[in-house]
Amino acid sequence: MSNFSIGDKVVCVDDKFPPDISKLYDALPVKDTTYVVRDIRLGINLTLEGDVSVLLIGLVNPKADSKAGLERGFRADRFRPLDELLNQQKVGEPEEEKKELLQPVEA
């Protein structure tokens, strides 16, 4: 269903929502913010097609007006696993920056 699991830390990579979406949600994810996945399930997107949906710790939203009455989630493709993004950053950094990251921080 997605490349992460319940309890994983994920980062929002897409927080561009349709203008009126705030009428359906109380809380929306923010780009470059880290969240923890609390549930993953099948959902229905705005075009009424099936989609993978995630719920996030700290963001609680109203239930949909569907027969199932489940809390509204977010498309899983709006998020990337934190570990994946950290690994991509390390690969793309110049050697000097990598060395700086390994230096102990003075208190």
Side-chain angles (χ1 to χ4, degrees):
M1 279 175 52
S2 68
N3 57 345
F4 40 83
S5 303
I6 294 172
D8 283 356
K9 290 183 179 181
V10 296
V11 177
C12 178
V13 295
D14 177 11
D15 66 354
K16 295 190 184 337
F17 293 93
D20 291 339
I21 202 76
S22 61
K23 294 176 183 175
L24 301 174
Y25 287 83
D26 292 337
L28 296 171
V30 176
K31 187 174 182 175
D32 297 329
T33 302
T34 302
Y35 299 94
V36 177
V37 176
R38 65 178 160 101
D39 199 7
I40 302 170
R41 60 180 182 212
L42 290 176
I44 297 174
N45 62 27
L46 294 175
T47 60
L48 302 179
E49 297 173 347
D51 214 340
V52 178
S53 175
V54 296
L55 298 179
L56 306 166
I57 292 175
L59 298 184
V60 179
N61 285 289
K63 295 180 179 181
D65 296 332
S66 64
K67 289 181 183 179
L70 298 173
E71 179 184 346
R72 295 182 188 279
F74 305 100
R75 285 191 344 249
D77 65 358
R78 291 184 179 276
F79 304 90
R80 296 289 178 273
L82 176 61
D83 292 343
E84 178 184 303
L85 292 176
L86 290 175
N87 288 337
Q88 286 176 356
Q89 287 177 351
K90 288 179 184 175
V91 169
E93 293 174 352
E95 284 301 315
E96 290 178 20
E97 290 181 30
K98 286 183 185 178
K99 289 178 185 173
E100 286 180 24
L101 291 174
L102 297 177
Q103 299 293 326
V105 177
E106 294 182 23

